[in-house]
């Protein structure tokens, strides 16, 4: 029996897939072996652990065992326990049950995968950074319960409130863990700019994280920033011009001005959002060196409690493109002059190594930016993977919904808030009410190709209750409006890879109302695979929670305990599950 294995990684995760020719008699699952090359050149071998146990072992809450004892009853797994700089490889082995015990089928185990180096470097001078903002998770349930007991708090929701306040502590271990490599890189960029006397040019939507504000303050006059006023809500009877005087970034703005920074006001909300989160680094003579973009707002929620990404490119042409846009935004002040919209309505094409990049800024004329995304999706041959916040039902997300039905196309993604249906058609994002969540939500989860994040309301077996979707979005101590805040699309990663990423929500509002940016990157397979690993790790996390949520909603017991039989294989070796395995293990 042949057993093949495939693995991809990025700066923070490794994702493993494996495939057999046929069903294995007596196979109760698979063990996953990992080898790690240590700094001294030696190799350490570990067995990955499983938190789903065999019923005969009567698993306890938070218990875990090596997968040689509790095998993985599936054909894929995400290893979250690896970190930047690790050099690892993987092998899988069937676990056979015979004569009352499990044993490794060593003659059937796979070969080792090629060595993987977890790194932010993603080819052609591009770098990818991610955080670990999975507040709806088992590890956060354990953390919040410990916090509740330690602080003498009454409920999980009380602990959630205490956790939110604690994130102002820069040295807090949970803050460092959740913000991950993304926070480290941002602070590193600011520190390098200070020590090497570089200039930082930023266009930011929100700015309230104490640590990031302090990093900008230290630059003094070498901090140049176009700063929006956040998201101001319309008020009946109050003119928009009057409301635009309100400023959610007031404290940060005052601090930067006091530190000698050059601050340019872009007060366009309500009615629009100055939604950029880009940064350009130049030398003292304004020579562009690098630029940062992505989905991350400069807030403690952006760093710690949402899924976000950062895309950093060390290329002068790329950086110049964003610096030119910074100049246009500065000159536009708090307006959208016709020449700005016209300039935005043409993609800026550059070459970075072998990568072809097309950069878009908004507002645009006639949704030409969305047309460019639709063109990429329309040419998909093999796969579309994505993460989205609130895309609305029309435009790119509507197109992806239609692609789900194509059997020749592999589609996987997570949408933080799915658009509700109205009169048989999906509403635009402007009509979505984030508070309509939980059991009374307007729209149930879609098929499992596209999932909406949910939580575990009631503990069961060895699994603890988590923060629920309703707790996160609208509870007494709500965390915010975004569970997944990344905006990423990957098309055809194995053949003609295309990646789309930036601040743009892939919506008509992003196109026609806001300041946004995104870049379409072609012909960088390493970049596509690293983003794919990120999307899959988020998808697999929320897919399982989605299944549990759906069963609990219907008063059914989630089938989480491992099957004490080989019949678990049957559902994986046919239909969509088999197509997924065949897509990744080639």
């Amino acid at each position: 029996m042949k057993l093949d294995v495939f693995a991809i990684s990025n700066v923070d995760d490794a994702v493993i897939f494996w495939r057999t020719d046929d069903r294995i008699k007596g196979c109760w699952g698979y063990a996953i072996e990992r080898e790690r090359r240590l700094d001294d050149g030696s190799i350490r071998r570990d067995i990955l652990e499983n938190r789903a146990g065999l019923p005969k072992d009567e698993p306890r809450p938070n218990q875990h065992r090596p997968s040689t004892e509790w095998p993985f009853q599936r054909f894929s797994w995400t290893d979250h326990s690896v970190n930047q700089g690790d050099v690892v490889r993987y092998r899988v082995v069937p676990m056979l049950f015979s004569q009352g015990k499990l044993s490794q089928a060593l003659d059937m185990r796979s070969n080792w995968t090629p060595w993987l180096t977890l790194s932010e470097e993603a080819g052609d001078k591009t770098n990818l950074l991610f955080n670990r903002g999975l507040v709806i998770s088992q590890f956060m349930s354990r953390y919040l319960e410990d916090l509740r007991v330690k602080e003498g708090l009454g409920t999980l929701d009380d602990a959630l409130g205490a956790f939110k306040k604690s994130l102002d502590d820069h040295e807090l271990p949970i803050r460092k863990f959740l913000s991950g490599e993304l926070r480290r890189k941002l602070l590193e960029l600011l520190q390098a700019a200070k020590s090497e006397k570089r200039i930082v040019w930023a266009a930011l939507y929100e700015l309230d994280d104490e640590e990031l504000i302090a990093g900008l303050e230290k630059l003094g006059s070498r901090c140049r920033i176009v700063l929006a006023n956040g998201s101001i809500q319309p008020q009946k009877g109050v003119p928009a011009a009057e409301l635009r005087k309100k400023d959610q970034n007031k404290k940060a703005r005052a601090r930067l001005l006091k530190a000698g920074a050059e601050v340019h006001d872009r007060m366009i909300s309500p009615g629009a959002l100055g939604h950029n989160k880009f940064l350009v680094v130049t030398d003292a003579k304004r020579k562009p060196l690098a630029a940062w973009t992505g989905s991350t707002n400069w807030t403690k929620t952006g760093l710690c409690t949402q899924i976000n990404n950062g895309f950093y490119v060390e290329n002068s042409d790329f950086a110049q493109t964003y610096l030119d846009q910074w100049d246009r935004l500065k000159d536009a002040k708090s307006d959208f002059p016709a020449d700005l919209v016209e300039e935005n309505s043409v993609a800026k094409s550059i070459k970075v190594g072998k990568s072809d990049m097309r950069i878009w800024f908004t507002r645009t004329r006639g949704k030409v930016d969305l047309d460019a995304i639709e063109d990429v999706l329309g040419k998909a041959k093999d796969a579309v993977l994505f993460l989205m916040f609130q895309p609305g039902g029309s435009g790119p997300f509507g197109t992806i919904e239609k692609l789900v039905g194509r059997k020749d196309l592999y589609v996987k993604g997570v949408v933080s808030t799915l658009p509700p249906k109205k009169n048989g058609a999906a509403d635009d994002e402007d009509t979505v009410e984030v508070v309509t969540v939980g059991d009374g939500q307007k729209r149930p989860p879609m098929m499992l190709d596209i999932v909406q994040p949910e939580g575990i309301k009631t503990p069961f077996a060895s699994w603890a209750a988590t923060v629920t979707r309703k707790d996160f979005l609208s509870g007494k101590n709500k965390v915010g409006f975004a569970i997944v805040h990344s905006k990423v699309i990957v098309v055809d990663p194995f053949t003609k890879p295309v990646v789309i990423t930036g601040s743009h929500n892939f919506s008509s509002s992003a196109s026609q109302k806001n300041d946004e940016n995104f870049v379409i990157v072609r012909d960088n397979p390493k970049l596509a695979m690293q983003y794919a690993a990120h999307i899959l790790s988020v998808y697999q996390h929320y897919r399982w929670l989605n299944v549990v949520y759906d069963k609990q909603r219907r008063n059914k017991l989630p089938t989480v305990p491992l099957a004490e039989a080989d019949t678990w294989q049957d559902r994986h070796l046919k239909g969509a599950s088999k197509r997924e395995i065949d897509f990744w293990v080639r």
Side-chain angles (χ1 to χ4, degrees):
M1 180 74 68
K2 185 180 180 183
L3 182 57
D4 296 316
V5 64
F6 173 80
I8 55 177
S9 66
N10 52 42
V11 67
D12 206 43
D13 296 307
V15 183
I16 309 105
F17 286 90
W18 57 96
R19 180 179 64 190
T20 60
D21 293 334
D22 203 352
R23 190 177 188 277
I24 299 176
K25 185 177 180 181
C27 178
W28 278 23
Y30 290 86
I32 303 178
E33 297 177 293
R34 179 185 64 207
E35 286 192 339
R36 189 192 309 257
R37 185 177 291 156
L38 304 180
D39 291 342
D40 62 4
S42 62
I43 294 174
R44 187 179 75 197
R45 185 176 298 178
D46 300 303
I47 304 296
L48 297 193
E49 294 188 327
N50 195 359
R51 291 187 176 275
L54 293 166
K56 68 182 181 64
D57 294 326
E58 299 181 353
R60 300 184 305 276
N62 300 326
Q63 189 178 8
H64 46 88
R65 290 190 186 180
S67 50
T68 47
E69 298 179 32
W70 288 353
F72 295 108
Q73 292 184 347
R74 53 190 300 167
F75 289 87
S76 65
W77 190 251
T78 299
D79 184 3
H80 293 293
S81 63
V82 287
N83 298 293
Q84 172 153 239
D86 286 345
V87 180
V88 294
R89 63 178 183 174
Y90 298 88
R91 180 170 65 182
V92 295
V93 55
M95 297 301 302
L96 304 185
F97 187 81
S98 179
Q99 299 180 346
K101 65 178 182 179
L102 283 169
S103 61
Q104 299 181 56
L106 298 179
D107 60 327
M108 299 171 66
R109 65 188 175 188
S110 73
N111 293 324
W112 289 100
T113 68
W115 288 99
L116 302 171
T117 300
L118 275 81
S119 171
E120 69 189 62
E121 195 279 317
D124 289 340
K125 298 295 184 178
T126 65
N127 298 264
L128 287 186
L129 291 307
F130 306 104
N131 67 349
R132 304 186 186 100
L134 294 169
V135 175
I136 302 177
S137 62
Q138 289 294 297
F139 80 82
M140 278 301 299
S141 293
R142 296 190 291 274
Y143 177 84
L144 290 171
E145 177 59 18
D146 290 345
L147 182 64
R148 186 190 69 79
V149 173
K150 179 182 176 182
E151 299 294 331
L153 302 170
T155 65
L156 179 69
D157 194 61
D158 294 332
L160 185 62
F163 158 71
K164 283 172 54 185
K165 292 178 182 177
S166 73
L167 291 175
D168 288 322
D169 181 355
H170 303 168
E171 299 306 315
L172 189 71
I174 192 66
R175 172 184 161 93
K176 290 185 176 181
F177 175 80
L178 291 170
S179 57
E181 294 299 324
L182 195 152
R183 165 183 164 273
R184 176 200 61 78
K185 186 68 171 185
L186 278 175
L187 293 175
E188 179 184 283
L189 291 175
L190 296 177
Q191 178 57 42
K194 179 179 181 295
S195 61
E196 298 176 28
K197 300 190 183 306
R198 295 173 175 173
I199 304 175
V200 166
W201 316 74
L204 300 180
Y205 167 53
E206 293 179 317
L207 179 59
D208 74 8
D209 184 78
E210 171 65 30
E211 195 171 22
L212 294 180
I213 294 171
L216 292 171
E217 280 181 310
K218 292 174 183 177
L219 293 171
S221 62
R222 287 182 286 110
C223 170
R224 317 282 170 83
I225 182 168
V226 172
L227 187 58
N229 60 335
S231 178
I232 308 299
Q233 297 304 307
Q235 295 180 25
K236 189 175 181 179
V238 182
E242 187 66 26
L243 290 173
R244 289 189 189 110
K245 296 176 183 178
K246 293 188 175 184
D247 183 11
Q248 293 179 344
N249 297 318
K250 183 177 180 179
K251 291 182 180 179
R253 196 183 307 273
R255 285 179 57 177
L256 292 179
L257 287 168
K258 185 177 180 181
E262 182 182 305
V263 182
H264 301 274
D265 298 342
R266 187 146 172 82
M267 319 294 271
I268 60 175
S269 184
L273 301 177
H275 201 240
N276 283 310
K277 337 70 184 43
F278 72 75
L279 179 90
V280 180
V281 180
T282 73
D283 67 12
K285 296 182 178 179
R286 212 176 187 264
K287 177 183 177 182
L289 303 173
W292 167 288
T293 186
S295 66
T296 309
N297 288 314
W298 288 42
T299 63
K300 62 185 181 182
T301 55
L303 290 178
C304 301
T305 64
Q306 310 164 345
I307 291 296
N308 273 311
N309 73 91
F311 181 53
Y312 183 63
V313 182
E314 298 174 278
N315 175 271
S316 59
D317 292 336
F318 187 88
Q320 184 66 61
T321 303
Y322 277 86
L323 185 58
D324 290 343
Q325 184 67 9
W326 188 94
D327 287 332
R328 286 189 282 268
L329 292 173
K330 179 199 70 171
D331 294 341
K333 298 181 180 178
S334 297
D335 200 1
F336 284 92
D339 59 344
L340 173 65
V341 176
E342 286 301 312
E343 185 66 38
N344 290 346
S345 298
V346 179
K348 282 66 179 173
S349 298
I350 62 171
K351 196 83 170 175
V352 180
K354 295 181 180 179
S355 298
D356 176 75
M357 298 190 181
R358 295 190 181 183
I359 302 167
W360 285 92
F361 300 102
T362 67
R363 298 176 181 178
T364 64
R365 172 180 31 80
K367 300 184 181 180
V368 290
D369 54 323
L370 292 178
D371 290 344
I373 298 173
E374 294 281 2
D375 181 65
V376 172
L377 293 172
K379 294 176 180 176
K381 301 295 184 185
D382 301 314
V384 176
L385 300 96
F386 62 93
L387 298 177
M388 295 182 182
F389 167 44
Q390 258 178 256
S394 57
F397 179 71
T399 298
I400 290 174
E401 277 192 295
K402 296 172 184 175
L403 294 176
V404 169
R406 275 179 51 182
K407 290 186 177 181
D408 62 332
L409 200 63
Y410 174 78
V411 179
K412 287 289 179 287
V414 183
V415 179
S416 192
T417 296
L418 286 167
K421 295 287 189 179
K422 184 176 181 181
N423 297 326
D427 288 344
D428 187 71
E429 72 282 355
D430 289 340
T431 66
V432 173
E433 296 180 11
V434 177
V435 295
T436 58
V437 297
D439 292 348
Q441 63 184 14
K442 291 182 181 178
R443 174 182 178 143
M446 294 180 62
M447 64 189 72
L448 290 176
D449 291 314
I450 301 173
V451 297
Q452 173 178 273
E454 301 288 352
I456 300 175
K457 188 175 183 179
T458 306
F460 66 97
S462 61
W463 301 91
T466 68
V467 172
T468 67
R469 179 177 177 83
K470 188 173 183 178
D471 294 334
F472 191 105
L473 296 175
S474 59
K476 180 178 70 175
N477 289 301
K478 70 177 183 180
V479 180
F481 295 112
I483 300 172
V484 171
H485 195 250
S486 277
K487 309 94 167 43
V488 181
I489 299 173
V490 176
V491 172
D492 296 346
F494 282 109
T495 51
K496 294 183 177 180
V498 185
V499 170
I500 307 172
T501 191
S503 70
H504 199 293
N505 278 324
F506 310 132
S507 67
S508 60
S509 286
S511 172
Q512 299 295 284
K513 295 182 178 180
N514 299 346
D515 290 339
E516 304 278 6
N517 73 90
F518 67 88
V519 56
I520 301 174
V521 184
R522 289 179 169 85
D523 302 322
N524 187 334
K526 187 173 183 180
L527 179 75
M529 284 298 181
Q530 290 203 10
Y531 264 124
H534 173 59
I535 294 168
L536 287 169
S537 69
V538 177
Y539 171 82
Q540 290 183 353
H541 177 84
Y542 281 118
R543 180 195 184 279
W544 181 80
L545 288 175
N546 197 278
V547 171
V548 172
Y549 164 80
D550 185 59
K551 295 211 172 200
Q552 288 189 332
R553 183 173 61 88
R554 293 184 286 119
N555 296 317
K556 291 188 175 182
L557 182 67
T559 54
V560 171
L562 299 177
E564 294 178 339
D566 61 10
T567 53
W568 69 272
Q569 300 171 81
D570 297 340
R571 70 181 186 274
H572 291 283
L573 297 176
K574 60 184 179 181
S577 295
K578 185 178 186 303
R579 290 199 301 272
E580 176 172 51
I581 296 167
D582 290 343
F583 176 79
W584 289 107
V585 189
R586 300 186 169 209

